[in-house]
């Protein structure tokens, strides 16, 4: 599942963009300030940012400069500045696209998908397999099969698996997984992830004593074992 971080100090815009992203099947993180966005980008590793330039604490341009020191995460700038010079400056800073306010939510979603395709972050049209073809995860249809047999997962179980397989080998903390699957600000106890992992392993016939797919990272959380098949 692709996760998009929306950074805007206007609540209505954050909620509007977030609603359209969720409708398109993306996980959404919301930030009101630049400092909050930097913290979330570092801890939760979103796949794309929709970034307003007019933030109350850090100018969007400065935030992008800080991000580019350590990350190549795709960024779509969202701003009221419509001048050609502003667009060129934003793109030169490392933005992947530039959308001016007022904007069409449908056009923004189309630009999100285009940027994700260029970055290789969209699951649309791909059906990767893992473990020498044993496990198939279709993000577009939200379908999973094991050894050619469909596996019925709940929404939370699928989102958890999709997050883990998005970066095989990466160790995810329980907090990161809760935030990705349930959304930022979810107040549920992080250990609920353990219950979902237990159910997911059972459905994937993944022995918890010697798991192949969902591995425990002691003191941290979980990671996905096998890399995607060629």
């Amino acid at each position: 599942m692709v996760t998009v971080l929306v950074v805007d100090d206007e609540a209505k815009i954050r909620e509007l963009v977030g609603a359209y992203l969720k409708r398109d099947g993306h996980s959404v993180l919301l930030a009101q300030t630049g400092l909050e966005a930097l913290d979330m980008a570092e801890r939760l590793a979103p796949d794309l940012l929709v970034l307003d330039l007019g933030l109350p604490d850090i100018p969007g341009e400065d935030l992008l400069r800080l991000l580019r020191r350590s990350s190549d995460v795709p960024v779509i700038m969202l701003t009221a500045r419509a001048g050609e010079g502003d667009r060129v400056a934003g793109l030169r800073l490392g933005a992947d696209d530039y959308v001016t306010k007022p904007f069409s939510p449908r056009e923004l979603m189309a630009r999100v998908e285009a940027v994700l395709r260029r970055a290789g972050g969209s699951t649309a049209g791909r059906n990767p397999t893992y473990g020498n073809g044993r496990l198939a995860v279709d993000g577009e249809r939200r379908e999973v099969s094991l050894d050619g047999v469909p596996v019925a997962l709940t929404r939370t179980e699928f989102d958890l698996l999709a997050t883990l397989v998005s970066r095989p080998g990466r160790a995810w903390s329980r907090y990161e997984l809760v935030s990705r699957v349930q959304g930022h600000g979810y107040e549920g106890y992080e250990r609920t992830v353990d219950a979902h992992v237990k159910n997911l392993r059972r459905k994937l016939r993944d022995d918890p004593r010697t798991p192949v797919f969902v591995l425990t990272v002691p003191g941290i959380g979980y990671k996905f074992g096998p890399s995607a098949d060629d």
Side-chain angles (χ1 to χ4, degrees):
M1 172 179 287
V2 170
T3 297
V4 181
L5 171 57
V6 181
V7 188
D8 199 297
D9 62 332
E10 295 185 48
K12 290 184 178 179
I13 291 181
R14 290 198 305 274
E15 293 167 2
L16 175 65
V17 175
Y20 270 81
L21 287 167
K22 289 179 181 178
R23 188 194 65 177
D24 283 357
H26 301 313
S27 176
V28 177
L29 302 170
L30 303 177
Q32 182 175 348
T33 68
L35 290 176
E36 185 181 10
L38 278 175
D39 176 64
M40 294 174 70
E42 180 179 349
R43 289 188 296 105
L44 303 177
D47 301 292
L48 181 144
L49 270 70
V50 176
L51 173 63
D52 177 32
L53 294 186
L55 299 174
D57 55 345
I58 302 176
E61 296 92 338
D62 291 346
L63 176 57
L64 182 55
R65 290 189 186 95
L66 291 172
L67 284 171
R68 285 292 175 258
R69 290 179 181 177
S70 59
S71 173
D72 59 356
V73 59
V75 174
I76 297 178
M77 285 185 165
L78 188 61
T79 177
R81 305 173 194 172
E84 179 182 359
D86 293 316
R87 294 197 301 274
V88 171
L91 294 172
R92 284 179 174 171
L93 281 174
D96 296 85
D97 206 343
Y98 195 104
V99 177
T100 57
K101 300 178 181 179
F103 62 93
S104 160
R106 292 180 61 186
E107 179 185 355
L108 177 59
M109 293 306 103
R111 290 176 180 265
V112 164
E113 293 304 323
V115 169
L116 286 172
R117 282 196 300 271
R118 292 198 298 270
S122 177
T123 58
R126 295 189 294 135
N127 188 14
T129 62
Y130 306 87
N132 296 320
R134 291 194 61 212
L135 180 67
V137 181
D138 189 328
E140 186 175 43
R141 295 180 175 83
R142 295 180 66 84
E143 295 176 351
V144 175
S145 63
L146 179 67
D147 296 328
V149 179
V151 178
L153 300 181
T154 66
R155 182 195 68 80
T156 299
E157 290 164 358
F158 181 89
D159 290 347
L160 176 61
L161 178 61
T163 297
L164 291 169
V165 303
S166 69
R167 298 188 184 182
R170 181 197 191 279
W172 298 85
S173 71
R174 290 178 175 83
Y175 176 79
E176 289 176 315
L177 292 171
V178 166
S179 298
R180 283 248 181 170
V181 172
Q182 302 290 357
H184 182 67
Y186 176 68
E187 296 180 354
Y189 187 45
E190 293 175 24
R191 288 287 177 174
T192 58
V193 170
D194 295 342
H196 294 306
V197 166
K198 181 179 179 180
N199 292 333
L200 182 59
R201 281 175 169 165
R202 175 175 53 81
K203 293 181 178 181
L204 296 180
R205 303 200 301 275
D206 212 13
D207 187 338
R209 294 168 297 183
T210 56
V212 173
F213 297 116
V214 182
L215 310 183
T216 300
V217 182
I220 299 177
Y222 300 96
K223 67 180 180 180
F224 189 77
S227 299
D229 298 326
D230 294 333

